[in-house]
Amino acid sequence: MMNAAVSFIGGTNGNKKGLSATLAANPGDLKLRASLSDTNFSDGSTLNFDDLLLSVEKPGSFIIDFDITKKDVQFQFMNTFKVEGKQINWSYSHMRNDHRTVLDGTLVFDTANKLSARHELGSFKCKLKYSYVHRGLTTFEPCYDLEKKSWDLAVSRRILGGDLIKANYETLSQVLGVEWSCSSLVNEDGRVKVLASFNLAEGFHTPKLSVQSMWHFQA
């Protein structure tokens, strides 16, 4: 089976416009994906795709991304195991050009509570995040950045049979982000996402807005 997705991003801040397309196939246990994006898409008269990404994935095992434009390769390996009856998910990611290696781990206490950690080897970059899902609808995610010694908080809630409203506040930058991901107003093959960003350090001004529409196709 082959799947395709097309996404368009536009914004009021004038510098966030783009067009991207993804083509995916599932031969056997593997997933193959090719992605193109044009971050300079403006009036639609010309398309200059400036990013090409090829991916090979075996779900639950590994992902290899080939960035053709940047001539870069990223490897990600993941696994799941249990300790004292608690599930632990971990992943190891390496970016060749950036010489970066990142470890991610998640301890799943139950369906409502998870503790995650992310650490970049050879640096002080480390984040801890706790996730709590209240009655299956509302998710609270406080996050602490050990390097920057700052807190972030994200709260999201599912409404209207699948729509998602999410708010995220970064204490260091004092930026409040609000996101509405909507599928109830379009058909089952599409989704619209509206994002607003407020810089509270500058007071209450007109937010930066962007809208993303995504459509899926199968063949």
Side-chain angles (χ1 to χ4, degrees), residues 5 15 34 38 69 80 89 91 93 103 105 107 119 130 139 141 146-147 150 162 168 182-183 190 197-198 201 207:
N15 58 4
D38 177 10
T69 306
T80 298
N89 306 321
S91 69
S93 304
L103 295 179
L107 173 60
H119 173 58
Y130 189 83
T139 303
E141 292 181 316
L146 276 72
E147 181 189 33
S150 65
N168 182 79
C182 171
S183 59
S197 178
F198 303 83

Side-chain angles (χ1 to χ4, degrees), residues 54-160:
L54 302 178
S55 300
V56 179
E57 175 184 359
K58 184 176 182 180
S61 183
F62 67 83
I63 302 174
I64 303 177
D65 293 327
F66 302 91
D67 192 321
I68 305 301
T69 306
K70 298 179 181 178
K71 299 180 180 180
D72 192 14
V73 179
Q74 176 175 323
F75 303 90
Q76 182 178 7
F77 302 94
M78 68 281 291
N79 204 344
T80 298
F81 58 93
K82 288 190 175 183
V83 176
E84 298 294 332
K86 304 299 183 183
Q87 180 175 309
I88 296 179
N89 306 321
W90 71 272
S91 69
Y92 168 96
S93 304
H94 179 72
M95 287 65 76
R96 189 185 65 176
N97 282 7
D98 294 337
H99 303 289
R100 296 172 55 234
T101 301
V102 178
L103 295 179
D104 289 277
T106 300
L107 173 60
V108 182
F109 296 103
D110 50 44
T111 56
N113 296 273
K114 294 186 296 184
L115 178 64
S116 303
R118 180 180 179 88
H119 173 58
E120 182 176 325
L121 299 183
S123 75
F124 293 103
K125 295 180 179 180
C126 183
K127 290 184 178 182
L128 298 175
K129 182 174 70 174
Y130 189 83
S131 177
Y132 168 66
V133 182
H134 182 66
R135 297 183 178 179
L137 295 175
T138 306
T139 303
F140 300 89
E141 292 181 316
C143 178
Y144 184 69
D145 190 319
L146 276 72
E147 181 189 33
K148 298 178 180 178
K149 298 180 180 180
S150 65
W151 286 92
D152 298 336
L153 176 63
V155 179
S156 60
R157 182 176 176 83
R158 294 200 173 276
I159 59 173
L160 299 176

